[in-house]
Amino acid sequence: MAKPKTHDEALRLRLLHRAAATVFDRGTAALSLRQLAADAKTSTTAVYSLFGNKAGLLSSLYQEAVHLFVERLATIRPTADPAGDVIRLGLAYREYAVANPHLYAILFSDRRAHCPSDSERPREVAETYRPLVDAVRRGQQAGQFGTASDSEVIALSVWATAHGLVSLVLSGNEPPGLAVADCYERALRALVTGWRESEVPVAGGTEVAGVADVT
């Protein structure tokens, strides 16, 4: 009979999530492979077998955060309403952060501490950013956004709004009496509508407000 595999994917994920919680609470300096093994009720041998060393663990931690984030964004399938897709991507962004606050913190911490090499970072940044840029570009092609601004600038403004609002929630810095959850989607819709209105030309080369809100 084959010997059961003890260093399996379930153990790897359990170790990663415990490591993420430690880094989130106390920083990378507090991450001890021996303590991590004890917390996960496994051996240090298992930790070294799965990750090699602390640097390998941190790299795997970052890669897992990227993987889950990209996977979540990929559930937002392109539709005939690209501007609406932009908003749906923003909602998926928040859902990922709320469901995985520790990994979210790793994802947007100092990348140099977690990436295996400088050459990996541009590819990973593109993977997380591409769905939003693609949705904006499709919106430009469909006439929902003008072409006066670069698609990446529009996407960046949406990303920054989502990131800022989510960060206020996760850091416990919401303004007193104001729940971000109650205005998050409205803020995204207002931003997207603003981009639509600011770049829609009318006869004579001027611009017009009053374009219908995103549905």
Side-chain angles (χ1 to χ4, degrees), residues 45-112:
T45 300
V47 178
Y48 281 105
S49 174
L50 287 166
F51 304 108
N53 52 29
K54 183 175 178 177
L57 173 61
L58 289 172
S59 176
S60 295
L61 188 56
Y62 177 77
Q63 296 294 333
E64 180 68 11
V66 171
H67 169 72
L68 290 178
F69 186 58
V70 171
E71 190 176 68
R72 180 65 188 88
L73 294 183
T75 65
I76 308 302
R77 303 297 184 185
T79 70
D81 177 22
D85 293 345
V86 169
I87 293 171
R88 285 184 280 274
L89 284 166
L91 295 175
Y93 182 106
R94 180 184 62 180
E95 290 165 4
Y96 169 86
V98 171
N100 306 280
H102 297 153
L103 289 177
Y104 177 82
I106 296 295
L107 184 62
F108 291 105
S109 62
D110 185 354
R111 294 175 187 269
R112 292 170 298 181

Side-chain angles (χ1 to χ4, degrees), residues 138-154:
R138 288 189 294 105
Q140 289 177 317
Q141 293 168 359
Q144 292 184 319
F145 297 114
T147 57
S149 292
D150 189 288
S151 56
E152 294 197 11
V153 172
I154 299 175

Side-chain angles (χ1 to χ4, degrees), residues 5-22 31 35-43 46-47 50-51 57 61 64 68 102-103:
K5 186 177 181 181
T6 56
H7 304 168
D8 58 10
E9 180 67 6
L11 175 59
R12 188 184 77 87
L13 291 176
R14 190 162 79 249
L15 288 167
L16 285 176
H17 281 273
R18 285 184 175 272
T22 298
L31 186 61
Q35 186 59 50
L36 176 64
D39 291 343
K41 295 181 173 55
T42 189
S43 65
V47 178
L50 287 166
F51 304 108
L57 173 61
L61 188 56
E64 180 68 11
L68 290 178
H102 297 153
L103 289 177

Side-chain angles (χ1 to χ4, degrees), residues 152-173:
E152 294 197 11
V153 172
I154 299 175
L156 179 61
S157 70
V158 176
W159 184 290
T161 298
H163 181 73
L165 291 174
V166 165
S167 296
L168 285 175
V169 174
L170 296 184
S171 64
N173 286 312

